[in-house]
Amino acid sequence: DPALYPEARALVMAVGATNVSVTGSGTFEAKVAYWHVEAFKKRIPRPRFFQFKDCGNVRLEGFKVRNSPNWTIHMLCTDDVTIRRLDMRCEGPNTDGIDLESVQRALIEDCRLDQGDDGFCMKSGKNAEGRRRARPTKDVTIRNCTVVNGHTLLGIGSELSGGIENITLENCKVEGEVWRVLFIKTNPARGGYVKGVKVRNVKAL
C-alpha cells in the first residue's frame, strides 16, 4: 500500500552509483491511472519514473518513455549527466519531463518531450534544505530538443534556494503549445539566485 510509505520510490532508481547508463531502443511504460486519480486526490506520494541521487557520470540514451506517475526524469545531486535522443510522452499532473536538481555539468540533446507539466526544469532545493545543501545547478546545456506540449519549455525554480547558474538553451523548438518559453519562479522568502541563463534560436508559435 503506497500510503504506508513516507515517500514513493522511483520506478527506476540509482543511489550513490558511478558510471550508470540506461540505453537502447526500448520503451518504458507505466500504468498510471491510479496515481493520476486516486493517489493524487488522497495526496499519496507519487513516484518519479527515473531518479538518480548522488550519482556521477550518468547517461540516458535512445529509449522512449510513456506515462509517468510524477516527474519523469529526476537527477538529484548527480553530476556529469548526458541525456540524448529520448522520446517521452507523459500526461497528467506534475509530469515534468527532465528535472535537474543540484546537478553540475549536464548535456541534454536531441530529445522530444510531450509533457503534462514543464519540459525542462532547473532546481536546487527548497527553502532551508536548499540553503543548507548550498549546491547550485550549473553548467547545463540543452540543445536541438523539441517540446511538443507542456506548461513551460524551460522552467527555473521554484525550488532554487541553492542557486542556478550557467544554463544554455539553444536550437530548440515548440511543436505544439506551451504557456511560456522561459519561466523563472520563486518567492521572496526562498533565497537563492539565478545568473547566466542564455536562450537562443528557439522557435515557438
Side-chain angles (χ1 to χ4, degrees):
D1 184 354
L4 300 177
Y5 296 91
E7 71 176 46
R9 297 287 184 179
L11 305 185
V12 179
M13 187 170 186
V15 179
T18 303
N19 299 327
V20 185
S21 296
V22 181
T23 65
S25 58
T27 300
F28 291 87
E29 185 167 2
K31 296 182 179 180
V32 295
Y34 166 78
W35 296 109
H36 287 173
V37 181
E38 294 302 319
F40 184 76
K41 289 179 180 178
K42 296 176 182 177
R43 298 183 180 274
I44 294 172
R46 292 171 293 135
R48 320 295 197 216
F49 206 128
F50 294 82
Q51 185 176 59
F52 295 81
K53 180 180 179 183
D54 299 321
C55 294
N57 194 20
V58 174
R59 181 167 66 102
L60 308 182
E61 185 169 350
F63 55 85
K64 297 178 181 178
V65 183
R66 297 293 182 261
N67 303 323
S68 180
N70 202 328
W71 295 356
T72 310
I73 294 174
H74 181 205
M75 298 285 171
L76 175 60
C77 296
T78 290
D79 296 339
D80 301 304
V81 172
T82 301
I83 300 175
R84 182 180 289 126
R85 294 198 306 276
L86 299 192
D87 181 331
M88 304 188 340
R89 187 169 69 243
C90 304
E91 299 178 353
N94 309 115
T95 50
D96 290 353
I98 299 173
D99 289 80
L100 305 185
E101 182 174 356
S102 296
V103 167
Q104 300 182 359
R105 298 178 303 279
L107 171 64
I108 303 171
E109 63 181 357
D110 301 318
C111 293
R112 180 181 176 87
L113 279 59
D114 190 353
Q115 306 299 140
D117 207 314
D118 294 340
F120 302 101
C121 307
M122 305 294 112
K123 303 176 182 289
S124 61
K126 184 177 180 180
N127 299 342
E129 176 190 5
R131 292 192 292 271
R132 280 195 304 268
R133 186 191 297 158
R135 197 174 194 277
T137 286
K138 67 178 184 178
D139 302 330
V140 175
T141 297
I142 303 164
R143 66 190 184 199
N144 305 324
C145 292
T146 297
V147 168
V148 180
N149 295 295
H151 291 183
T152 303
L153 174 56
L154 174 61
I156 296 178
S158 61
E159 305 91 335
L160 51 67
S161 298
I164 307 287
E165 57 185 282
N166 299 339
I167 310 297
T168 299
L169 175 78
E170 61 185 2
N171 303 325
C172 293
K173 66 178 180 179
V174 176
E175 190 173 281
E177 182 179 15
V178 297
W179 298 349
R180 298 160 291 254
V181 169
L182 172 65
F183 189 23
I184 301 173
K185 44 188 172 176
T186 185
N187 66 54
R190 185 147 291 171
Y193 64 89
V194 178
K195 65 181 182 180
V197 177
K198 300 176 184 177
V199 176
R200 53 186 174 235
N201 194 25
V202 172
K203 297 180 180 180
L205 297 177

